Amino acid sequence: MAETALVLGAGGLTGVGWEIGVLHGLAEAGVDLSDADLVVGSSAGSVVGAQLTSGKLTLPELYERQLADPAGEIPGQLGAGLVLKYARAVLGSRTPEAYGRKLGALAVAADAGDEAARREVIARRLVSHSWPERRLLVTAVDAGTGELRAFDAASGVPVVDAVAASCAVPGVWPAVTIEGRKWIDGGIHSCANVHLASGYARVVILAPQPAGGGPLPSPRRQAERLEAEGARVTLITPDAAARRAFGRRTLDPTRRAPAARAGLAQAGACVESVGRVWRG
């Protein structure tokens, strides 16, 4: 069995901030997850995963970036009408793929801005535009088939494009064109895509969005499946203070810094459980 895997789930800009805050706090307490053999990133987690594995900045530096003025970011919003469309799609789907097709059709039909301009936003977030030497999986969903794909260094797809696709929230941001096909948010298949860490002995999951729904398994349910396979797993989800810091505007750049501080504050309560798993 392979060794360590870090799974970073979806959760908007607040999810990016919170995950980096948690990772920074854990490292300060002596449990550094940045040396994971595998990093799986979905949506917000893809941004964090690409930054973390780049080797360009330390965790303290990545944390300070979350506190800086979010210049260049474009605010997004999941309005009530769009949330209702999501809810109807998930309740009317029997599989994650069926849900992905419905939201793929929504994304392709939506007037969600310029794809090239959105790519530039993602490019500015990333500290490197090259795939890392360590194994990084960036998830996205095919808008036509609803199927999940995990892009990596062997895919031949630029990491900026892969992360842009993974962050393409349907109806908010434009679907991303890769290899002649349209791709949307990797968190549409599941909030964290924990199953991609199958086969690893020790797995830590950071899931800003802990719930499942309809055909979409929750991160906890997926974690239990890994444990049934023999892995040692711990799952971290936002505590009450972090949820307050997120508020309802998870795509608002101004909420990123409060979310990062909340993640840093929460990390102390997670050190023991994460250390037991990570240190073997």
Side-chain angles (χ1 to χ4, degrees):
M1 184 176 275
E3 285 304 314
T4 56
L6 173 63
V7 178
L8 302 167
L13 285 170
T14 56
V16 172
W18 177 78
E19 289 179 354
I20 289 178
V22 171
L23 291 169
H24 176 42
L26 288 171
E28 281 195 322
V31 185
D32 188 351
L33 306 184
S34 64
D35 61 354
D37 298 314
L38 169 70
V39 176
V40 178
S42 297
S43 199
S46 73
V47 174
V48 178
Q51 292 175 337
L52 186 69
T53 59
S54 71
K56 299 292 185 181
L57 295 177
T58 64
L59 271 169
E61 290 169 331
L62 289 175
Y63 178 74
E64 288 301 319
R65 288 185 93 210
Q66 303 310 299
L67 307 184
D69 182 353
E73 290 286 352
I74 303 172
Q77 184 174 357
L78 278 167
L82 188 55
V83 170
L84 181 59
K85 290 179 181 179
Y86 278 35
R88 287 174 175 167
V90 77
L91 292 173
S93 302
R94 293 187 176 182
T95 66
E97 290 76 20
Y99 181 57
R101 288 193 294 272
K102 290 179 180 179
L103 289 198
L106 183 157
V108 171
D111 180 12
D114 180 70
E115 186 178 335
R118 175 63 179 166
R119 187 186 190 279
E120 283 302 309
V121 171
I122 299 298
R124 286 194 295 269
R125 280 186 201 169
L126 303 187
V127 294
S128 172
H129 294 173
S130 300
W131 286 97
E133 293 183 5
R134 283 187 296 114
R135 193 176 184 217
L136 170 66
L137 299 181
V138 173
T139 68
V141 170
D142 186 313
T145 67
E147 295 177 350
L148 181 73
R149 180 173 175 183
F151 294 101
D152 61 9
S155 68
V157 173
V159 69
V160 174
D161 291 334
V163 173
S166 192
C167 294
V169 181
V172 177
W173 308 122
V176 172
T177 306
I178 297 175
E179 299 173 346
R181 301 190 65 81
K182 294 291 188 180
W183 298 85
I184 59 173
D185 194 324
I188 295 302
H189 190 267
S190 80
C191 291
N193 293 302
V194 175
H195 64 286
L196 294 175
S198 179
Y200 282 77
R202 292 173 280 146
V203 182
V204 174
I205 306 158
L206 273 60
Q209 296 177 341
L216 308 182
S218 68
R220 185 167 303 281
R221 180 177 161 195
Q222 290 187 315
E224 290 169 353
R225 289 177 180 173
L226 291 190
E227 289 176 328
E229 294 173 2
R232 298 180 66 180
V233 183
T234 190
L235 169 65
I236 304 173
T237 60
D239 61 13
R243 294 194 298 273
R244 287 193 297 271
F246 293 0
R248 296 184 178 182
R249 305 194 311 273
T250 61
L251 300 178
D252 182 348
T254 66
R255 305 308 303 164
R256 187 180 67 185
R261 293 189 182 99
L264 179 64
Q266 183 179 349
C270 308
V271 171
E272 185 176 349
S273 62
V274 174
R276 284 197 303 269
V277 167
W278 207 249
R279 293 169 180 150

